[in-house]
Amino acid sequence: MLAMDQGVVEEWLSEFKTLPDNAVSNYAASLKDKAALVPALYKVIRENYSDLLEPVCHQLFEFYRSGEPQLQRFTLQFLPELLWSLLSVSAARDPHTSGCIEALLLGIYNLEIVDKDGQSKVLSFTVPSLSKPSVYHEPSAIGSIALTEGALANHGLSRVVYSGPHLQRETFTAQNRFEVLTFLLLCYNAALSYMTAISLQSLCQLSSRVCICGYPRQQIRRYKGISTRLTVTSEFLVQLITGIHYALCNGEVEQGSKALDDVLYRAQLELFPEALLVGNAIKSSLHGAALKSNNKEGARSIQVEITPTSSRISRNAVTSLSIRGHRWKRHESQEVSVDSEAAMGGVAIPDISVTGASGERMPNGESLRPRPDGRAQPDCDPLGAASEVSLELRGHDPGTRGQEVRRQKSVRRMVESEGSGSASTGRSQY
């Protein structure tokens, strides 16, 4: 450690002790202007045998116990580096060098599990429902949900998951170590938007080292630290993935991608379904996404895509187009019925269009058919249709002509019977 960094840390240790209570808020706001302080504190934490490690841990705990939000966030930014120092020392079986770090982490944990009155705190989480819109989905894009009895019973109900109460811990043991560390990572993830870039990088390094130490991938990553395998839990990996996701979307693309791959690598080896589910979901959502690799300053957020809302017409909606199509279907069915009745007589009937004749259009909607003598006649007149057919079939043999006359008479009787029942006399519409 350089003498300059040591001087910065010693000055920081001395100035806080002389501050009055009414100047704590102003002092907390001025910490972000000290650019050389944070890197110097990281160097102290990484050197386990430094003489400044114990006073630094003591002052960080004083920051957190003060209750000032900015001072608490200042302490939380060193949490990933503190966790790695604790895990690496425990793996090396040299617990005497990590006593102050253990005291700091246990102090933060015991402060967070109780409220202001000293009662055990119970954390609640509301599980989002697919039937209600959110920033991640629109119910209209999923489709209609069947109105079953169970769906109606659960309509409007929100599922709430509770965490706690947690027991106070005085020492770290093999049974409670990752329970405490997982809860501390939960507190860290709650303040992710306030973390600096160097803190996010430390989180990614922590994730990779914890997951690959003692495994073949350690040679690929060329990490020459400890080679002892560290025991992890599925909940601990899920909290790591949560922080990695934020780092990926806020400038740390390279280190975040490596850390996510290393966590998934370890989750596959350990067969942790929760970590695999969350990690693969995040990895799939990042394909083709525009990550802000160069924007490390400014507002920090996780990018999501909102499904655009669009008005949709139901398939069964009554429109002018559907009514028009319904009329044409009914008209075609009537023509088919007329042809079928005539075919039952055993007579081959040529195709004759009664309603589809071309010609001029009358004011009432009827069309005029030109006669052989040059005059026009409405196409609804059955006599005109019969005379037209008779003119066309004059040159045929008598047998065929007789059959055609009989067919014309049957058609005329049918048209007259239908026309007598209509509102307008002498007309029939098809």
Side-chain angles (χ1 to χ4, degrees):
M1 185 175 182
L2 298 178
M4 181 179 62
D5 296 331
Q6 185 175 357
V8 172
V9 174
E10 290 177 351
E11 181 184 356
W12 171 73
L13 290 173
S14 60
E15 65 183 357
F16 181 72
K17 297 177 181 179
T18 59
L19 282 178
D21 295 339
N22 54 3
V24 173
S25 299
N26 296 332
Y27 173 76
S30 65
L31 284 176
K32 62 181 180 181
D33 299 330
K34 299 181 180 181
L37 177 60
V38 174
L41 290 177
Y42 270 101
K43 293 179 181 179
V44 171
I45 296 173
R46 288 166 185 169
E47 295 179 5
N48 294 327
Y49 296 95
S50 175
D51 296 334
L52 296 175
L53 180 59
E54 185 174 351
V56 165
C57 292
H58 182 268
Q59 180 139 320
L60 289 177
F61 177 70
E62 293 294 331
F63 276 14
Y64 207 90
R65 191 172 61 173
S66 65
E68 180 66 29
Q70 293 183 350
L71 293 180
Q72 290 180 340
R73 291 192 290 264
F74 183 84
T75 302
L76 282 177
Q77 69 177 327
F78 301 103
L79 187 63
E81 199 65 34
L82 292 169
L83 293 183
W84 173 244
S85 297
L86 176 66
L87 292 175
S88 60
V89 169
S90 61
R93 301 187 184 277
D94 189 10
H96 299 289
T97 59
S98 62
C100 55
I101 297 178
E102 288 186 6
L104 172 60
L105 296 178
L106 287 172
I108 296 175
Y109 168 81
N110 291 325
L111 286 175
E112 284 293 338
I113 63 174
V114 296
D115 54 15
K116 296 181 180 179
D117 300 330
Q119 302 296 326
S120 297
K121 188 187 300 182
V122 178
L123 303 179
S124 61
F125 306 90
T126 303
V127 179
S129 174
L130 293 179
S131 62
K132 297 181 180 180
S134 69
V135 296
Y136 298 100
H137 79 290
E138 292 288 342
S140 58
I142 300 176
S144 60
I145 301 177
L147 293 178
T148 60
E149 183 178 355
L152 291 175
N154 296 327
H155 182 69
L157 299 179
S158 299
R159 182 183 176 187
V160 181
V161 179
Y162 298 96
S163 174
H166 299 275
L167 300 177
Q168 290 191 358
R169 304 296 182 181
E170 296 181 357
T171 57
F172 277 110
T173 62
Q175 288 77 18
N176 65 20
R177 177 180 292 111
F178 277 94
E179 177 187 350
V180 175
L181 298 185
T182 301
F183 185 84
L184 291 175
L185 277 180
L186 179 64
C187 300
Y188 177 84
N189 291 333
L192 270 175
S193 59
Y194 301 100
M195 296 298 110
T196 58
I198 188 173
S199 180
L200 296 178
Q201 295 171 7
S202 178
L203 176 67
C204 296
Q205 294 173 3
L206 165 70
S207 304
S208 294
R209 293 171 182 175
V210 167
C211 295
I212 67 174
C213 282
Y215 291 91
R217 180 165 286 201
Q218 184 176 2
Q219 305 299 327
I220 300 176
R221 293 287 185 250
R222 297 180 180 180
Y223 175 66
K224 298 181 180 180
I226 62 174
S227 58
T228 305
R229 295 185 180 181
L230 300 175
T231 304
V232 294
T233 61
S234 180
E235 294 80 7
F236 182 77
L237 293 185
V238 169
Q239 295 300 327
L240 288 179
I241 293 173
T242 303
I244 293 171
H245 186 201
Y246 182 84
L248 273 168
C249 299
N250 290 274
E252 306 302 330
V253 179
E254 183 177 357
Q255 294 193 24
S257 301
K258 290 182 180 180
L260 182 59
D261 292 338
D262 293 338
V263 173
L264 288 175
Y265 169 77
R266 183 63 181 273
Q268 291 174 356
L269 294 176
E270 301 287 352
L271 296 178
F272 289 149
E274 297 86 358
L276 288 173
L277 177 64
V278 178
N280 287 322
I282 293 175
K283 190 173 183 179
S284 300
S285 66
L286 295 177
H287 288 303
L291 298 178
K292 301 181 289 184
S293 58
N294 298 324
N295 186 15
K296 295 186 179 182
E297 301 296 335
R300 298 181 179 272
S301 62
I302 293 178
Q303 294 180 341
V304 295
E305 294 183 1
I306 301 178
T307 305
T309 56
S310 59
S311 59
R312 301 187 303 170
I313 301 177
S314 174
R315 294 181 180 179
N316 300 326
V318 180
T319 60
S320 58
L321 183 62
S322 63
I323 296 175
R324 196 178 303 120
H326 180 70
R327 289 177 177 174
W328 280 110
K329 289 180 181 179
R330 187 175 60 180
H331 175 69
E332 291 173 1
S333 63
Q334 290 179 357
E335 287 186 352
V336 170
S337 63
V338 172
D339 293 343
S340 60
E341 290 178 1
M344 290 175 63
V347 181
I349 302 175
D351 295 337
I352 300 175
S353 177
V354 179
T355 60
S358 61
E360 297 180 5
R361 184 66 58 182
M362 296 180 64
N364 61 354
E366 298 174 350
S367 62
L368 297 178
R369 185 191 302 274
R371 285 186 175 182
D373 55 357
R375 294 180 298 169
Q377 177 173 341
D379 83 50
C380 66
D381 189 1
L383 297 177
S387 62
E388 228 178 78
V389 176
S390 63
L391 288 175
E392 293 177 358
L393 300 177
R394 266 178 198 174
H396 293 196
D397 58 328
T400 306
R401 188 162 52 248
Q403 292 178 357
E404 182 59 30
V405 169
R406 287 195 297 273
R407 190 195 67 79
Q408 292 176 6
K409 289 181 180 180
S410 63
V411 172
R412 184 183 303 175
R413 285 195 299 270
M414 180 179 62
V415 170
E416 289 175 355
S417 62
E418 291 181 358
S420 60
S422 61
S424 58
T425 58
R427 297 179 185 177
S428 65
Q429 291 185 347
Y430 291 84

